[in-house]
Amino acid sequence: MLRCILLDDELPGLVYLKMLCEQLPNVKVVKAFNDPELFLKESANLEFDFCVADIQMPKINGLQMAVFLKHKPFIFVTAYSEFAAEAYDMDVVDYIRKPLQQERIQAAVKKVENRLLQSKEKEQSFIVNTDQGKSILYFKDVLYISTSSIDSRDKEVF
């Protein structure tokens, strides 16, 4: 289950976006914000995997939010096409033009899922040479590593 935060300064758009996201079976909406400043204040205390945000908002726009939360994947939903190049330069996951459609949001969430899976695999595993060939070890499965009692150049993984 992917946890998301929604951000749109226009309340009707936010309600519609929330409804569409809640209909996706693998998405849980943690919280929806219509004020970007309030979102910034609360974001450190919220656990979420990605953010779906409007770009054109007063005071703080969606692009600035993505810079602030650069460690989180972003999907932008906007009525404007002129921010697309800048958004993709920032490596956002997707850029969806309004009016929103369920299938388009679902495709964007699938991209988030793939990106998160790829980053988890890279961070949580390493490749080792064994007497059986190469093997992938996951950090969560390793208790400890010690020097082999047979040959000090070899290591034993428990």
Side-chain angles (χ1 to χ4, degrees):
M1 179 75 65
L2 295 173
R3 300 162 301 177
C4 78
I5 296 289
L6 306 177
L7 177 62
D8 193 330
D9 62 314
E10 295 176 3
L11 201 52
L14 182 62
V15 170
Y16 183 64
L17 176 61
K18 186 174 189 243
M19 181 196 70
L20 290 175
C21 289
E22 287 175 337
Q23 291 176 2
L24 298 174
N26 59 334
V27 173
K28 178 184 181 205
V29 176
V30 175
K31 199 159 183 181
F33 293 90
N34 67 342
D35 180 355
E37 290 180 322
L38 180 61
F39 170 69
L40 280 180
K41 288 177 188 171
E42 292 189 25
S43 65
N45 300 321
L46 296 170
E47 289 189 31
F48 62 99
D49 299 308
F50 70 102
C51 184
V52 181
D54 188 13
I55 290 182
Q56 198 72 350
M57 294 181 288
K59 297 179 187 170
I60 303 169
N61 68 36
L63 297 169
Q64 292 166 320
M65 296 297 251
V67 169
F68 179 74
L69 294 170
K70 61 183 169 221
H71 60 284
K72 297 286 186 182
F74 261 76
I75 297 171
F76 283 125
V77 292
T78 183
Y80 305 97
S81 61
E82 64 263 19
F83 300 108
E86 189 175 351
Y88 279 110
D89 286 345
M90 298 172 65
D91 197 30
V92 299
V93 174
D94 213 337
Y95 191 97
I96 303 172
R97 295 269 318 270
K98 293 178 181 178
L100 301 175
Q101 296 176 345
Q102 181 75 31
E103 299 80 25
R104 187 66 181 90
I105 291 179
Q106 192 166 10
V109 168
K110 184 67 177 166
K111 290 178 185 179
V112 168
E113 197 172 36
N114 290 338
R115 184 175 288 189
L116 290 172
L117 186 61
Q118 287 173 352
S119 67
K120 260 188 181 178
E121 287 175 357
K122 285 179 187 175
E123 292 175 7
Q124 298 181 352
S125 66
F126 58 101
I127 299 173
V128 294
N129 292 323
T130 69
D131 57 353
Q132 308 275 313
K134 293 197 181 283
S135 181
I136 297 175
L137 289 180
Y138 294 91
F139 289 114
K140 67 179 179 58
D141 296 332
V142 176
L143 182 59
Y144 66 94
I145 302 172
S146 67
T147 303
S148 171
S149 57
I150 299 170
D151 186 342
S152 63
R153 294 174 293 175
D154 291 335
K155 307 295 178 254
E156 293 178 347
V157 178
F158 298 89

